[in-house]
Amino acid sequence: MLQTLTERLFDDTDRTELDPFAIFEEWFAMAEDSEPNDPHAMALATADTSGLPDVRMVLLNRRDARGFCFFTNFESAKGDQLQSNPQAAMVMHWKSLRRQVRMRGPVEQVTEAEADEYFASRARGSRIASATSKQSRPLANRQQMMDEVAALTAMIGEGEMPRPPHWSGYRLVPTAVEFWKDGEYRLHDRVRFTRELPGAAWTSTRLYP
């Protein structure tokens, strides 16, 4: 009988090479079926110039063999931090599966074409909100923000909302990926994949929980 990638991942007798990106796809497909909402939500950790970490929930919007993408205002706190320190860590935890995936590595900016394509796929209201929001900066009250949204909506009328130049995306290119599966009495399964550089071969290690 053919084993799933997950079964092979935790099978200590299986020493064949596994692709962590393929394992992620198997787990993510399960999460899409089992999570009540936002299976693509992830905690993203960055650090400022002093090394103080910062973390917030964002959405995993795109992914491929290069890495994992999220989109944001480059003038936000995380945008500032990633411009000065282009590396990050993320974790996706799916309570319904009792599993999580952790990743860390360098971060690169997506191409203009990738940013345009994703921005165009968003709901019109979301595009207007992205153009209006001065993300992470002080706001006197909610009404001020709503008035700014209304003003921009009236200004563009039935026209298209172009992507603002300060709004784009980042791609986390992992050099470490860890898979965690809940076990009885906290005897969890953990396997970590690492590589020296993006594009290099992966090695895997089972870890104590």
Side-chain angles (χ1 to χ4, degrees), residues 87-154:
Q87 51 190 347
M90 57 168 268
V91 61
M92 303 184 79
H93 178 236
W94 300 298
K95 292 184 70 174
S96 61
L97 297 177
R98 304 183 73 85
R99 299 183 186 192
Q100 73 176 22
V101 180
R102 299 169 60 197
M103 301 185 194
R104 63 200 304 247
V107 170
E108 62 185 24
Q109 187 173 335
V110 303
T111 65
E112 295 287 305
E114 288 174 307
D116 287 340
E117 180 185 5
Y118 178 70
F119 191 78
S121 74
R122 306 181 82 203
R124 189 169 189 270
S126 295
R127 282 178 275 156
I128 292 172
S130 295
T132 304
S133 176
K134 303 175 181 65
Q135 193 174 1
S136 301
R137 280 157 284 181
L139 174 65
N141 51 63
R142 182 175 177 83
Q143 189 58 48
Q144 176 184 335
M145 178 176 65
M146 300 309 294
D147 289 344
E148 291 170 352
V149 169
L152 180 57
T153 302

Side-chain angles (χ1 to χ4, degrees), residues 6 17 32 141 146 149 179 183-184 202:
T6 302
E17 291 185 5
E32 287 184 306
N141 51 63
M146 300 309 294
V149 169
F179 296 92
E184 191 176 17
W202 293 100

Side-chain angles (χ1 to χ4, degrees), residues 16-173:
T16 56
E17 291 185 5
L18 289 173
D19 177 6
F21 285 57
I23 300 168
F24 177 88
E25 290 301 324
E26 183 171 284
W27 285 29
F28 190 78
M30 295 173 65
E32 287 184 306
D33 289 337
S34 65
E35 283 293 295
N37 48 50
D38 295 335
H40 57 318
M42 65 182 192
L44 175 74
T46 55
D48 63 20
T49 52
S50 72
L52 185 66
D54 215 348
V55 66
R56 78 289 288 163
M57 298 301 296
V58 299
L59 298 178
L60 174 64
N61 299 119
R62 295 287 174 90
R63 62 193 189 277
D64 58 26
R66 295 170 294 173
F68 299 79
C69 300
F70 57 95
F71 293 81
T72 188
N73 185 323
F74 276 19
E75 297 173 351
S76 65
K78 64 178 163 305
D80 286 342
Q81 291 165 1
L82 287 169
Q83 289 295 324
S84 60
N85 183 13
Q87 51 190 347
M90 57 168 268
V91 61
M92 303 184 79
H93 178 236
W94 300 298
K95 292 184 70 174
S96 61
L97 297 177
R98 304 183 73 85
R99 299 183 186 192
Q100 73 176 22
V101 180
R102 299 169 60 197
M103 301 185 194
R104 63 200 304 247
V107 170
E108 62 185 24
Q109 187 173 335
V110 303
T111 65
E112 295 287 305
E114 288 174 307
D116 287 340
E117 180 185 5
Y118 178 70
F119 191 78
S121 74
R122 306 181 82 203
R124 189 169 189 270
S126 295
R127 282 178 275 156
I128 292 172
S130 295
T132 304
S133 176
K134 303 175 181 65
Q135 193 174 1
S136 301
R137 280 157 284 181
L139 174 65
N141 51 63
R142 182 175 177 83
Q143 189 58 48
Q144 176 184 335
M145 178 176 65
M146 300 309 294
D147 289 344
E148 291 170 352
V149 169
L152 180 57
T153 302
M155 183 178 73
I156 64 174
E158 296 300 316
E160 288 297 316
M161 179 68 242
R163 177 177 65 87
H166 59 265
W167 193 96
S168 188
Y170 289 103
R171 177 181 294 105
L172 191 156
V173 184

